[in-house]
Amino acid sequence: MATATAAGSTVGFKPAPMALLPPIPLYRRLLRTHRKRLPREMRLLGDEYVKSEFRAHKDVENPVHIIGFLTEWQMYAQKLEGDNWLEEKLDKGKIDKMSDQQLGQLHELMQAIQKQGREDE
């Protein structure tokens, strides 16, 4: 009598990893997605942030950092292209892994968004 094997089960199944876009096509995709999906004020803030982050990481040589950077931005683009990103909260695990500099940047971004919201009212 045949029995189920691990190969036939879905337990532990992980989808195939996504192919990472090279930096320039990803950069263009992000700006294009901002243009199509964000209101003007959010687009301006988002474009400025994307541009500064890509400029700041232009000379990074550590492959682990490069892959992490591109992966996070690609996941951001995919979320933005869908509709489930509104009101989404940051994953606590990712926040816990952030450096002090990254937390500072996140705080500055939050303040800019809040300031923009107050100006729109």
Side-chain angles (χ1 to χ4, degrees):
M1 181 175 258
T3 59
T5 65
S9 69
T10 58
V11 176
F13 175 75
K14 291 183 181 179
M18 63 182 160
L20 282 179
L21 288 174
I24 293 174
L26 179 57
Y27 178 81
R28 290 178 181 151
R29 178 181 175 185
L30 290 163
L31 296 179
R32 188 172 39 253
T33 303
H34 281 179
R35 189 174 58 246
K36 291 179 180 180
R37 307 289 286 179
L38 296 179
R40 185 178 187 280
E41 300 82 22
M42 287 178 72
R43 188 187 96 219
L44 294 174
L45 181 63
D47 286 355
E48 182 180 317
Y49 191 73
V50 167
K51 289 174 184 179
S52 71
E53 283 296 299
F54 272 76
R55 257 187 248 113
H57 289 81
K58 181 177 69 168
D59 297 323
V60 171
E61 294 182 11
N62 184 331
V64 173
H65 290 165
I66 294 168
I67 290 171
F69 178 81
L70 294 175
T71 300
E72 289 299 321
W73 278 109
Q74 190 161 322
M75 288 182 351
Y76 166 77
Q78 289 172 339
K79 281 185 181 182
L80 210 54
E81 289 165 347
D83 288 326
N84 61 348
W85 61 274
L86 294 171
E87 304 297 323
E88 185 175 318
K89 301 206 182 294
L90 288 174
D91 179 30
K92 184 174 176 4
K94 285 186 180 180
I95 293 173
D96 291 342
K97 292 179 183 177
M98 289 183 179
S99 68
D100 290 341
Q101 181 184 6
Q102 290 171 322
L103 290 171
Q105 288 177 318
L106 185 61
H107 184 71
E108 289 174 13
L109 181 61
M110 180 189 72
Q111 288 177 326
I113 291 169
Q114 289 174 342
K115 180 181 175 187
Q116 186 66 44
R118 286 189 299 269
E119 291 174 0
D120 290 343
E121 292 176 353

